[in-house]
Amino acid sequence: MRDQIARITEEAQAAIDAAPATPALEDVRIKYLGRKAELPNLLRGVAALEPDQRAAVGKAANEARRALEDAIERKAQALAASELRRRLAKDRVDVTLPADPRPATGRLHLITQTQREIEDVFVGLGFNVAEGPEVETVYYNFDALNHAPTHPSRLLTDTFYVKPAGDIFDPNAVLLRVHTSPVQVRAMEAQPPPIYIVMPGRVYRPDSDATHSPQFHQVEGLAVDTDITLGDLQGTLLAFARAIFGEERQVRLRPHFFPFTEPSVEVDVSCFNCRQGVAADGERCSLCKGTAWIEILGAGMVDPNVLDYVRENGYDPEQVQGFAFGMGIERIAMLKHGVPDLRLLYDNDVRFLEQFG
Ligand code: PHE
């Protein structure tokens, strides 16, 4: 019987050593230690032995079983470790490699690109960039910008009030700003003259069609110093128009009205799509409607009444004067890139957006 135990042990040990993987080792365990295996069977037969042999054979068989169990456990751990190593080596991902297929690189939205382009032009001319809140008060949006109480923009049809039930003539009434001009006042409250700033941001009006969106973007400009003239405004806007629309551009100023500038002007840029209103195909230019000029923004000399609201902050209208302007970013982008419908800018169809940048 002891020979038998020795033979089984030797055989089992060889099988354990040879097991190439975890499933094969499990087969070995079942074959040599399972319920139907030789060794356990043999152990069961020990009871039938002569009493003087029983103890020694039983001990040998038990030791053999424990030795095999240990050997299998050690082998199982070794196999598991090497299998894990192999799996990890196979699964290794080099996160520094470009993905396949390479993911599309994002780009800035055309409105953001245009806003930054406009900011860059004015930063190049010595202006700083400032921002103000989109949720404003009647005071900053209208009163301090010299809007008469009767000004039609104040009506519920022209302005989104946050609490329309209240008194819309209360200076503290809250609204969504209809233009970036309130930032002029906030900036002057925050900083004494001289001030040269552009103020980009979102604005809101109850309008919606191919050229109007209830939410759009403007860039406001403000320069206040001791010797600012309308000529400075014209020269600044000429530099701007040439930087954005091409070096051959001209600008012209037409009289207009804004409550917060006096005199006020609308500013046109010479058409970059035609000659004297005649397109390359000999037809009337569709961009400028044959007029050779395209309106791009509103501007003027800061009204002394506006400066009066910030007199305490160093803006004595007898001492300083300035110019201001405001333009729609969407309008600049549409003109520059020939975008036919404002809504294309908000649909976020990648086939449209992909064309820019
Ligand atoms: N705030 C005016 C508008 O929204 C534009 C403007 C700004 C005009 C500054 C003059 C000076 O139409």
Side-chain angles (χ1 to χ4, degrees), residues 175-212:
L175 47 72
L176 300 184
R177 66 181 181 189
V178 305
H179 50 183
T180 41
S181 303
V183 192
Q184 288 188 34
V185 181
R186 288 184 176 275
M188 287 191 283
E189 283 178 350
Q191 179 197 322
I195 189 169
Y196 293 84
I197 50 170
V198 286
M199 297 148 272
R202 288 190 195 91
V203 299
Y204 302 83
R205 291 179 197 178
D207 268 335
S208 191
D209 60 35
T211 51
H212 297 88

PDB file of all heavy atoms in Angstrom, residues 175-212:
ATOM      1  N   LEU A 175     -33.921  93.221 -15.460  1.00  0.00           N
ATOM      2  CA  LEU A 175     -34.195  92.851 -16.858  1.00  0.00           C
ATOM      3  C   LEU A 175     -32.991  92.114 -17.436  1.00  0.00           C
ATOM      4  O   LEU A 175     -31.927  92.057 -16.810  1.00  0.00           O
ATOM      5  CB  LEU A 175     -34.503  94.113 -17.675  1.00  0.00           C
ATOM      6  CG  LEU A 175     -33.568  95.327 -17.525  1.00  0.00           C
ATOM      7  CD1 LEU A 175     -32.217  95.108 -18.170  1.00  0.00           C
ATOM      8  CD2 LEU A 175     -34.216  96.558 -18.139  1.00  0.00           C
ATOM      9  N   LEU A 176     -33.191  91.547 -18.620  1.00  0.00           N
ATOM     10  CA  LEU A 176     -32.041  91.030 -19.372  1.00  0.00           C
ATOM     11  C   LEU A 176     -31.553  92.179 -20.247  1.00  0.00           C
ATOM     12  O   LEU A 176     -32.334  92.761 -20.991  1.00  0.00           O
ATOM     13  CB  LEU A 176     -32.462  89.843 -20.248  1.00  0.00           C
ATOM     14  CG  LEU A 176     -33.040  88.635 -19.508  1.00  0.00           C
ATOM     15  CD1 LEU A 176     -33.327  87.496 -20.500  1.00  0.00           C
ATOM     16  CD2 LEU A 176     -32.058  88.157 -18.432  1.00  0.00           C
ATOM     17  N   ARG A 177     -30.295  92.524 -20.142  1.00  0.00           N
ATOM     18  CA  ARG A 177     -29.792  93.710 -20.842  1.00  0.00           C
ATOM     19  C   ARG A 177     -30.082  93.626 -22.340  1.00  0.00           C
ATOM     20  O   ARG A 177     -29.969  92.548 -22.935  1.00  0.00           O
ATOM     21  CB  ARG A 177     -28.300  93.895 -20.579  1.00  0.00           C
ATOM     22  CG  ARG A 177     -27.428  92.800 -21.171  1.00  0.00           C
ATOM     23  CD  ARG A 177     -25.962  93.047 -20.843  1.00  0.00           C
ATOM     24  NE  ARG A 177     -25.119  92.010 -21.430  1.00  0.00           N
ATOM     25  CZ  ARG A 177     -23.816  91.871 -21.167  1.00  0.00           C
ATOM     26  NH1 ARG A 177     -23.205  92.698 -20.331  1.00  0.00           N
ATOM     27  NH2 ARG A 177     -23.122  90.911 -21.734  1.00  0.00           N
ATOM     28  N   VAL A 178     -30.485  94.756 -22.921  1.00  0.00           N
ATOM     29  CA  VAL A 178     -30.810  94.765 -24.352  1.00  0.00           C
ATOM     30  C   VAL A 178     -29.598  95.145 -25.184  1.00  0.00           C
ATOM     31  O   VAL A 178     -29.632  95.081 -26.409  1.00  0.00           O
ATOM     32  CB  VAL A 178     -31.978  95.736 -24.678  1.00  0.00           C
ATOM     33  CG1 VAL A 178     -33.199  95.398 -23.827  1.00  0.00           C
ATOM     34  CG2 VAL A 178     -31.561  97.192 -24.493  1.00  0.00           C
ATOM     35  N   HIS A 179     -28.545  95.584 -24.522  1.00  0.00           N
ATOM     36  CA  HIS A 179     -27.294  95.948 -25.204  1.00  0.00           C
ATOM     37  C   HIS A 179     -26.148  95.860 -24.200  1.00  0.00           C
ATOM     38  O   HIS A 179     -26.380  95.666 -22.995  1.00  0.00           O
ATOM     39  CB  HIS A 179     -27.376  97.333 -25.852  1.00  0.00           C
ATOM     40  CG  HIS A 179     -27.885  98.431 -24.946  1.00  0.00           C
ATOM     41  ND1 HIS A 179     -28.082  99.719 -25.372  1.00  0.00           N
ATOM     42  CD2 HIS A 179     -28.227  98.429 -23.628  1.00  0.00           C
ATOM     43  CE1 HIS A 179     -28.531 100.456 -24.361  1.00  0.00           C
ATOM     44  NE2 HIS A 179     -28.632  99.710 -23.304  1.00  0.00           N
ATOM     45  N   THR A 180     -24.910  95.962 -24.706  1.00  0.00           N
ATOM     46  CA  THR A 180     -23.760  95.914 -23.798  1.00  0.00           C
ATOM     47  C   THR A 180     -23.435  97.295 -23.238  1.00  0.00           C
ATOM     48  O   THR A 180     -22.527  97.428 -22.409  1.00  0.00           O
ATOM     49  CB  THR A 180     -22.520  95.325 -24.522  1.00  0.00           C
ATOM     50  OG1 THR A 180     -22.463  95.844 -25.853  1.00  0.00           O
ATOM     51  CG2 THR A 180     -22.596  93.812 -24.580  1.00  0.00           C
ATOM     52  N   SER A 181     -24.198  98.321 -23.643  1.00  0.00           N
ATOM     53  CA  SER A 181     -23.895  99.690 -23.191  1.00  0.00           C
ATOM     54  C   SER A 181     -23.889  99.872 -21.672  1.00  0.00           C
ATOM     55  O   SER A 181     -23.109 100.700 -21.168  1.00  0.00           O
ATOM     56  CB  SER A 181     -24.867 100.678 -23.854  1.00  0.00           C
ATOM     57  OG  SER A 181     -24.780 100.577 -25.264  1.00  0.00           O
ATOM     58  N   PRO A 182     -24.731  99.139 -20.881  1.00  0.00           N
ATOM     59  CA  PRO A 182     -24.645  99.332 -19.428  1.00  0.00           C
ATOM     60  C   PRO A 182     -23.248  99.062 -18.863  1.00  0.00           C
ATOM     61  O   PRO A 182     -22.887  99.613 -17.818  1.00  0.00           O
ATOM     62  CB  PRO A 182     -25.680  98.345 -18.856  1.00  0.00           C
ATOM     63  CG  PRO A 182     -26.153  97.509 -19.986  1.00  0.00           C
ATOM     64  CD  PRO A 182     -25.884  98.278 -21.229  1.00  0.00           C
ATOM     65  N   VAL A 183     -22.462  98.255 -19.554  1.00  0.00           N
ATOM     66  CA  VAL A 183     -21.102  97.983 -19.052  1.00  0.00           C
ATOM     67  C   VAL A 183     -20.236  99.247 -19.122  1.00  0.00           C
ATOM     68  O   VAL A 183     -19.293  99.423 -18.346  1.00  0.00           O
ATOM     69  CB  VAL A 183     -20.438  96.806 -19.812  1.00  0.00           C
ATOM     70  CG1 VAL A 183     -19.175  96.353 -19.082  1.00  0.00           C
ATOM     71  CG2 VAL A 183     -21.406  95.644 -19.967  1.00  0.00           C
ATOM     72  N   GLN A 184     -20.589 100.171 -20.051  1.00  0.00           N
ATOM     73  CA  GLN A 184     -19.887 101.473 -20.084  1.00  0.00           C
ATOM     74  C   GLN A 184     -19.958 102.129 -18.714  1.00  0.00           C
ATOM     75  O   GLN A 184     -18.957 102.581 -18.165  1.00  0.00           O
ATOM     76  CB  GLN A 184     -20.567 102.420 -21.080  1.00  0.00           C
ATOM     77  CG  GLN A 184     -20.392 102.124 -22.548  1.00  0.00           C
ATOM     78  CD  GLN A 184     -20.977 103.282 -23.379  1.00  0.00           C
ATOM     79  OE1 GLN A 184     -20.924 104.435 -22.982  1.00  0.00           O
ATOM     80  NE2 GLN A 184     -21.543 102.947 -24.544  1.00  0.00           N
ATOM     81  N   VAL A 185     -21.192 102.184 -18.175  1.00  0.00           N
ATOM     82  CA  VAL A 185     -21.410 102.874 -16.903  1.00  0.00           C
ATOM     83  C   VAL A 185     -20.709 102.136 -15.769  1.00  0.00           C
ATOM     84  O   VAL A 185     -20.015 102.737 -14.940  1.00  0.00           O
ATOM     85  CB  VAL A 185     -22.919 103.000 -16.617  1.00  0.00           C
ATOM     86  CG1 VAL A 185     -23.153 103.748 -15.305  1.00  0.00           C
ATOM     87  CG2 VAL A 185     -23.627 103.691 -17.776  1.00  0.00           C
ATOM     88  N   ARG A 186     -20.875 100.811 -15.757  1.00  0.00           N
ATOM     89  CA  ARG A 186     -20.234 100.015 -14.698  1.00  0.00           C
ATOM     90  C   ARG A 186     -18.720 100.170 -14.750  1.00  0.00           C
ATOM     91  O   ARG A 186     -18.053 100.249 -13.709  1.00  0.00           O
ATOM     92  CB  ARG A 186     -20.614  98.539 -14.843  1.00  0.00           C
ATOM     93  CG  ARG A 186     -22.065  98.266 -14.470  1.00  0.00           C
ATOM     94  CD  ARG A 186     -22.383  96.789 -14.528  1.00  0.00           C
ATOM     95  NE  ARG A 186     -23.740  96.508 -14.082  1.00  0.00           N
ATOM     96  CZ  ARG A 186     -24.073  96.348 -12.799  1.00  0.00           C
ATOM     97  NH1 ARG A 186     -23.157  96.431 -11.851  1.00  0.00           N
ATOM     98  NH2 ARG A 186     -25.329  96.103 -12.469  1.00  0.00           N
ATOM     99  N   ALA A 187     -18.156 100.181 -15.969  1.00  0.00           N
ATOM    100  CA  ALA A 187     -16.697 100.287 -16.102  1.00  0.00           C
ATOM    101  C   ALA A 187     -16.215 101.658 -15.630  1.00  0.00           C
ATOM    102  O   ALA A 187     -15.174 101.762 -14.963  1.00  0.00           O
ATOM    103  CB  ALA A 187     -16.284 100.046 -17.549  1.00  0.00           C
ATOM    104  N   MET A 188     -16.987 102.695 -15.942  1.00  0.00           N
ATOM    105  CA  MET A 188     -16.571 104.041 -15.508  1.00  0.00           C
ATOM    106  C   MET A 188     -16.701 104.187 -13.993  1.00  0.00           C
ATOM    107  O   MET A 188     -15.919 104.903 -13.364  1.00  0.00           O
ATOM    108  CB  MET A 188     -17.372 105.109 -16.252  1.00  0.00           C
ATOM    109  CG  MET A 188     -16.948 105.236 -17.715  1.00  0.00           C
ATOM    110  SD  MET A 188     -17.619 106.678 -18.574  1.00  0.00           S
ATOM    111  CE  MET A 188     -19.300 106.165 -18.910  1.00  0.00           C
ATOM    112  N   GLU A 189     -17.690 103.502 -13.407  1.00  0.00           N
ATOM    113  CA  GLU A 189     -17.801 103.515 -11.941  1.00  0.00           C
ATOM    114  C   GLU A 189     -16.588 102.832 -11.303  1.00  0.00           C
ATOM    115  O   GLU A 189     -16.194 103.169 -10.192  1.00  0.00           O
ATOM    116  CB  GLU A 189     -19.072 102.775 -11.491  1.00  0.00           C
ATOM    117  CG  GLU A 189     -20.339 103.584 -11.685  1.00  0.00           C
ATOM    118  CD  GLU A 189     -21.600 102.814 -11.278  1.00  0.00           C
ATOM    119  OE1 GLU A 189     -21.515 101.589 -11.024  1.00  0.00           O
ATOM    120  OE2 GLU A 189     -22.665 103.445 -11.230  1.00  0.00           O
ATOM    121  N   ALA A 190     -16.045 101.843 -12.031  1.00  0.00           N
ATOM    122  CA  ALA A 190     -14.974 101.024 -11.443  1.00  0.00           C
ATOM    123  C   ALA A 190     -13.587 101.608 -11.677  1.00  0.00           C
ATOM    124  O   ALA A 190     -12.627 101.216 -11.009  1.00  0.00           O
ATOM    125  CB  ALA A 190     -15.037  99.606 -12.019  1.00  0.00           C
ATOM    126  N   GLN A 191     -13.485 102.531 -12.640  1.00  0.00           N
ATOM    127  CA  GLN A 191     -12.141 102.999 -13.025  1.00  0.00           C
ATOM    128  C   GLN A 191     -12.204 104.441 -13.511  1.00  0.00           C
ATOM    129  O   GLN A 191     -13.022 104.763 -14.379  1.00  0.00           O
ATOM    130  CB  GLN A 191     -11.631 102.082 -14.163  1.00  0.00           C
ATOM    131  CG  GLN A 191     -10.265 102.433 -14.697  1.00  0.00           C
ATOM    132  CD  GLN A 191      -9.991 101.784 -16.043  1.00  0.00           C
ATOM    133  OE1 GLN A 191     -10.390 100.640 -16.276  1.00  0.00           O
ATOM    134  NE2 GLN A 191      -9.322 102.499 -16.941  1.00  0.00           N
ATOM    135  N   PRO A 192     -11.340 105.318 -12.976  1.00  0.00           N
ATOM    136  CA  PRO A 192     -11.349 106.721 -13.430  1.00  0.00           C
ATOM    137  C   PRO A 192     -10.758 106.847 -14.836  1.00  0.00           C
ATOM    138  O   PRO A 192     -10.101 105.921 -15.314  1.00  0.00           O
ATOM    139  CB  PRO A 192     -10.456 107.417 -12.393  1.00  0.00           C
ATOM    140  CG  PRO A 192      -9.526 106.360 -11.914  1.00  0.00           C
ATOM    141  CD  PRO A 192     -10.296 105.073 -11.968  1.00  0.00           C
ATOM    142  N   PRO A 193     -10.976 107.987 -15.512  1.00  0.00           N
ATOM    143  CA  PRO A 193     -10.386 108.179 -16.835  1.00  0.00           C
ATOM    144  C   PRO A 193      -8.866 108.329 -16.717  1.00  0.00           C
ATOM    145  O   PRO A 193      -8.390 108.685 -15.633  1.00  0.00           O
ATOM    146  CB  PRO A 193     -11.030 109.476 -17.321  1.00  0.00           C
ATOM    147  CG  PRO A 193     -11.449 110.213 -16.077  1.00  0.00           C
ATOM    148  CD  PRO A 193     -11.754 109.152 -15.063  1.00  0.00           C
ATOM    149  N   PRO A 194      -8.093 108.108 -17.781  1.00  0.00           N
ATOM    150  CA  PRO A 194      -8.552 107.691 -19.112  1.00  0.00           C
ATOM    151  C   PRO A 194      -8.974 106.216 -19.121  1.00  0.00           C
ATOM    152  O   PRO A 194      -8.402 105.405 -18.412  1.00  0.00           O
ATOM    153  CB  PRO A 194      -7.302 107.897 -19.986  1.00  0.00           C
ATOM    154  CG  PRO A 194      -6.152 107.742 -19.045  1.00  0.00           C
ATOM    155  CD  PRO A 194      -6.622 108.298 -17.724  1.00  0.00           C
ATOM    156  N   ILE A 195      -9.965 105.939 -19.974  1.00  0.00           N
ATOM    157  CA  ILE A 195     -10.417 104.546 -20.079  1.00  0.00           C
ATOM    158  C   ILE A 195     -10.556 104.190 -21.558  1.00  0.00           C
ATOM    159  O   ILE A 195     -11.106 104.965 -22.343  1.00  0.00           O
ATOM    160  CB  ILE A 195     -11.736 104.343 -19.292  1.00  0.00           C
ATOM    161  CG1 ILE A 195     -12.110 102.855 -19.201  1.00  0.00           C
ATOM    162  CG2 ILE A 195     -12.889 105.132 -19.920  1.00  0.00           C
ATOM    163  CD1 ILE A 195     -13.249 102.567 -18.206  1.00  0.00           C
ATOM    164  N   TYR A 196      -9.990 103.049 -21.928  1.00  0.00           N
ATOM    165  CA  TYR A 196     -10.094 102.552 -23.302  1.00  0.00           C
ATOM    166  C   TYR A 196     -10.451 101.065 -23.196  1.00  0.00           C
ATOM    167  O   TYR A 196      -9.578 100.235 -22.890  1.00  0.00           O
ATOM    168  CB  TYR A 196      -8.766 102.708 -24.049  1.00  0.00           C
ATOM    169  CG  TYR A 196      -8.375 104.161 -24.305  1.00  0.00           C
ATOM    170  CD1 TYR A 196      -7.718 104.910 -23.328  1.00  0.00           C
ATOM    171  CD2 TYR A 196      -8.685 104.766 -25.520  1.00  0.00           C
ATOM    172  CE1 TYR A 196      -7.378 106.234 -23.542  1.00  0.00           C
ATOM    173  CE2 TYR A 196      -8.338 106.102 -25.759  1.00  0.00           C
ATOM    174  CZ  TYR A 196      -7.691 106.823 -24.757  1.00  0.00           C
ATOM    175  OH  TYR A 196      -7.360 108.146 -24.981  1.00  0.00           O
ATOM    176  N   ILE A 197     -11.718 100.742 -23.395  1.00  0.00           N
ATOM    177  CA  ILE A 197     -12.124  99.344 -23.203  1.00  0.00           C
ATOM    178  C   ILE A 197     -13.097  98.873 -24.292  1.00  0.00           C
ATOM    179  O   ILE A 197     -13.833  99.672 -24.875  1.00  0.00           O
ATOM    180  CB  ILE A 197     -12.815  99.119 -21.824  1.00  0.00           C
ATOM    181  CG1 ILE A 197     -13.923 100.151 -21.601  1.00  0.00           C
ATOM    182  CG2 ILE A 197     -11.824  99.144 -20.695  1.00  0.00           C
ATOM    183  CD1 ILE A 197     -14.797  99.853 -20.389  1.00  0.00           C
ATOM    184  N   VAL A 198     -13.072  97.552 -24.528  1.00  0.00           N
ATOM    185  CA  VAL A 198     -14.134  96.911 -25.314  1.00  0.00           C
ATOM    186  C   VAL A 198     -14.822  95.909 -24.393  1.00  0.00           C
ATOM    187  O   VAL A 198     -14.187  95.326 -23.509  1.00  0.00           O
ATOM    188  CB  VAL A 198     -13.621  96.211 -26.603  1.00  0.00           C
ATOM    189  CG1 VAL A 198     -13.265  97.244 -27.658  1.00  0.00           C
ATOM    190  CG2 VAL A 198     -12.451  95.282 -26.318  1.00  0.00           C
ATOM    191  N   MET A 199     -16.142  95.748 -24.601  1.00  0.00           N
ATOM    192  CA  MET A 199     -16.957  94.971 -23.665  1.00  0.00           C
ATOM    193  C   MET A 199     -17.835  93.992 -24.450  1.00  0.00           C
ATOM    194  O   MET A 199     -18.884  94.382 -24.944  1.00  0.00           O
ATOM    195  CB  MET A 199     -17.836  95.938 -22.855  1.00  0.00           C
ATOM    196  CG  MET A 199     -17.033  96.899 -21.991  1.00  0.00           C
ATOM    197  SD  MET A 199     -17.851  98.520 -21.787  1.00  0.00           S
ATOM    198  CE  MET A 199     -17.217  99.397 -23.227  1.00  0.00           C
ATOM    199  N   PRO A 200     -17.385  92.759 -24.598  1.00  0.00           N
ATOM    200  CA  PRO A 200     -18.182  91.778 -25.348  1.00  0.00           C
ATOM    201  C   PRO A 200     -19.198  91.088 -24.433  1.00  0.00           C
ATOM    202  O   PRO A 200     -19.007  91.057 -23.215  1.00  0.00           O
ATOM    203  CB  PRO A 200     -17.127  90.774 -25.799  1.00  0.00           C
ATOM    204  CG  PRO A 200     -16.112  90.794 -24.693  1.00  0.00           C
ATOM    205  CD  PRO A 200     -16.101  92.206 -24.146  1.00  0.00           C
ATOM    206  N   GLY A 201     -20.255  90.553 -25.029  1.00  0.00           N
ATOM    207  CA  GLY A 201     -21.161  89.748 -24.217  1.00  0.00           C
ATOM    208  C   GLY A 201     -22.514  89.499 -24.865  1.00  0.00           C
ATOM    209  O   GLY A 201     -22.823  90.024 -25.934  1.00  0.00           O
ATOM    210  N   ARG A 202     -23.330  88.686 -24.166  1.00  0.00           N
ATOM    211  CA  ARG A 202     -24.658  88.347 -24.666  1.00  0.00           C
ATOM    212  C   ARG A 202     -25.662  89.440 -24.334  1.00  0.00           C
ATOM    213  O   ARG A 202     -25.585  90.043 -23.259  1.00  0.00           O
ATOM    214  CB  ARG A 202     -25.159  87.064 -24.013  1.00  0.00           C
ATOM    215  CG  ARG A 202     -24.462  85.825 -24.501  1.00  0.00           C
ATOM    216  CD  ARG A 202     -25.191  84.580 -23.999  1.00  0.00           C
ATOM    217  NE  ARG A 202     -24.319  83.444 -24.166  1.00  0.00           N
ATOM    218  CZ  ARG A 202     -23.483  83.033 -23.232  1.00  0.00           C
ATOM    219  NH1 ARG A 202     -23.438  83.620 -22.043  1.00  0.00           N
ATOM    220  NH2 ARG A 202     -22.690  82.006 -23.456  1.00  0.00           N
ATOM    221  N   VAL A 203     -26.594  89.648 -25.238  1.00  0.00           N
ATOM    222  CA  VAL A 203     -27.680  90.606 -25.013  1.00  0.00           C
ATOM    223  C   VAL A 203     -28.992  89.959 -25.466  1.00  0.00           C
ATOM    224  O   VAL A 203     -28.971  88.952 -26.182  1.00  0.00           O
ATOM    225  CB  VAL A 203     -27.421  91.935 -25.764  1.00  0.00           C
ATOM    226  CG1 VAL A 203     -26.132  92.582 -25.280  1.00  0.00           C
ATOM    227  CG2 VAL A 203     -27.373  91.713 -27.267  1.00  0.00           C
ATOM    228  N   TYR A 204     -30.124  90.544 -25.037  1.00  0.00           N
ATOM    229  CA  TYR A 204     -31.424  89.872 -25.215  1.00  0.00           C
ATOM    230  C   TYR A 204     -32.494  90.851 -25.692  1.00  0.00           C
ATOM    231  O   TYR A 204     -32.631  91.938 -25.128  1.00  0.00           O
ATOM    232  CB  TYR A 204     -31.863  89.256 -23.878  1.00  0.00           C
ATOM    233  CG  TYR A 204     -30.852  88.280 -23.323  1.00  0.00           C
ATOM    234  CD1 TYR A 204     -29.751  88.739 -22.589  1.00  0.00           C
ATOM    235  CD2 TYR A 204     -30.969  86.918 -23.553  1.00  0.00           C
ATOM    236  CE1 TYR A 204     -28.803  87.852 -22.087  1.00  0.00           C
ATOM    237  CE2 TYR A 204     -30.035  86.025 -23.052  1.00  0.00           C
ATOM    238  CZ  TYR A 204     -28.955  86.499 -22.320  1.00  0.00           C
ATOM    239  OH  TYR A 204     -28.008  85.622 -21.831  1.00  0.00           O
ATOM    240  N   ARG A 205     -33.241  90.435 -26.711  1.00  0.00           N
ATOM    241  CA  ARG A 205     -34.378  91.244 -27.175  1.00  0.00           C
ATOM    242  C   ARG A 205     -35.478  90.319 -27.689  1.00  0.00           C
ATOM    243  O   ARG A 205     -35.171  89.303 -28.329  1.00  0.00           O
ATOM    244  CB  ARG A 205     -33.953  92.188 -28.316  1.00  0.00           C
ATOM    245  CG  ARG A 205     -33.031  93.293 -27.864  1.00  0.00           C
ATOM    246  CD  ARG A 205     -32.606  94.183 -29.007  1.00  0.00           C
ATOM    247  NE  ARG A 205     -31.424  94.947 -28.608  1.00  0.00           N
ATOM    248  CZ  ARG A 205     -30.767  95.789 -29.381  1.00  0.00           C
ATOM    249  NH1 ARG A 205     -31.185  96.012 -30.622  1.00  0.00           N
ATOM    250  NH2 ARG A 205     -29.719  96.423 -28.925  1.00  0.00           N
ATOM    251  N   PRO A 206     -36.733  90.678 -27.459  1.00  0.00           N
ATOM    252  CA  PRO A 206     -37.839  89.818 -27.943  1.00  0.00           C
ATOM    253  C   PRO A 206     -38.031  89.929 -29.457  1.00  0.00           C
ATOM    254  O   PRO A 206     -38.982  90.537 -29.916  1.00  0.00           O
ATOM    255  CB  PRO A 206     -39.070  90.348 -27.191  1.00  0.00           C
ATOM    256  CG  PRO A 206     -38.561  91.330 -26.196  1.00  0.00           C
ATOM    257  CD  PRO A 206     -37.234  91.809 -26.674  1.00  0.00           C
ATOM    258  N   ASP A 207     -37.099  89.350 -30.217  1.00  0.00           N
ATOM    259  CA  ASP A 207     -37.122  89.404 -31.685  1.00  0.00           C
ATOM    260  C   ASP A 207     -36.677  88.054 -32.207  1.00  0.00           C
ATOM    261  O   ASP A 207     -35.751  87.481 -31.647  1.00  0.00           O
ATOM    262  CB  ASP A 207     -36.069  90.404 -32.194  1.00  0.00           C
ATOM    263  CG  ASP A 207     -36.615  91.796 -32.374  1.00  0.00           C
ATOM    264  OD1 ASP A 207     -37.834  91.927 -32.569  1.00  0.00           O
ATOM    265  OD2 ASP A 207     -35.803  92.742 -32.327  1.00  0.00           O
ATOM    266  N   SER A 208     -37.290  87.578 -33.282  1.00  0.00           N
ATOM    267  CA  SER A 208     -36.810  86.308 -33.832  1.00  0.00           C
ATOM    268  C   SER A 208     -37.179  86.172 -35.303  1.00  0.00           C
ATOM    269  O   SER A 208     -38.342  86.034 -35.658  1.00  0.00           O
ATOM    270  CB  SER A 208     -37.415  85.139 -33.038  1.00  0.00           C
ATOM    271  OG  SER A 208     -36.778  83.940 -33.398  1.00  0.00           O
ATOM    272  N   ASP A 209     -36.168  86.258 -36.180  1.00  0.00           N
ATOM    273  CA  ASP A 209     -36.342  85.977 -37.615  1.00  0.00           C
ATOM    274  C   ASP A 209     -34.965  85.707 -38.220  1.00  0.00           C
ATOM    275  O   ASP A 209     -34.024  85.446 -37.483  1.00  0.00           O
ATOM    276  CB  ASP A 209     -37.092  87.128 -38.313  1.00  0.00           C
ATOM    277  CG  ASP A 209     -36.349  88.456 -38.206  1.00  0.00           C
ATOM    278  OD1 ASP A 209     -35.099  88.451 -38.239  1.00  0.00           O
ATOM    279  OD2 ASP A 209     -37.024  89.501 -38.078  1.00  0.00           O
ATOM    280  N   ALA A 210     -34.860  85.777 -39.551  1.00  0.00           N
ATOM    281  CA  ALA A 210     -33.608  85.385 -40.205  1.00  0.00           C
ATOM    282  C   ALA A 210     -32.433  86.282 -39.816  1.00  0.00           C
ATOM    283  O   ALA A 210     -31.276  85.895 -39.960  1.00  0.00           O
ATOM    284  CB  ALA A 210     -33.780  85.390 -41.722  1.00  0.00           C
ATOM    285  N   THR A 211     -32.716  87.491 -39.330  1.00  0.00           N
ATOM    286  CA  THR A 211     -31.615  88.387 -38.951  1.00  0.00           C
ATOM    287  C   THR A 211     -31.674  88.816 -37.481  1.00  0.00           C
ATOM    288  O   THR A 211     -30.862  89.623 -37.045  1.00  0.00           O
ATOM    289  CB  THR A 211     -31.596  89.647 -39.849  1.00  0.00           C
ATOM    290  OG1 THR A 211     -32.912  90.235 -39.856  1.00  0.00           O
ATOM    291  CG2 THR A 211     -31.189  89.311 -41.265  1.00  0.00           C
ATOM    292  N   HIS A 212     -32.670  88.290 -36.735  1.00  0.00           N
ATOM    293  CA  HIS A 212     -32.766  88.625 -35.307  1.00  0.00           C
ATOM    294  C   HIS A 212     -32.948  87.359 -34.472  1.00  0.00           C
ATOM    295  O   HIS A 212     -33.726  86.486 -34.836  1.00  0.00           O
ATOM    296  CB  HIS A 212     -33.951  89.552 -35.032  1.00  0.00           C
ATOM    297  CG  HIS A 212     -33.826  90.872 -35.731  1.00  0.00           C
ATOM    298  ND1 HIS A 212     -34.278  91.076 -37.010  1.00  0.00           N
ATOM    299  CD2 HIS A 212     -33.280  92.042 -35.327  1.00  0.00           C
ATOM    300  CE1 HIS A 212     -34.026  92.325 -37.366  1.00  0.00           C
ATOM    301  NE2 HIS A 212     -33.419  92.932 -36.363  1.00  0.00           N
TER     302      HIS A 212
END
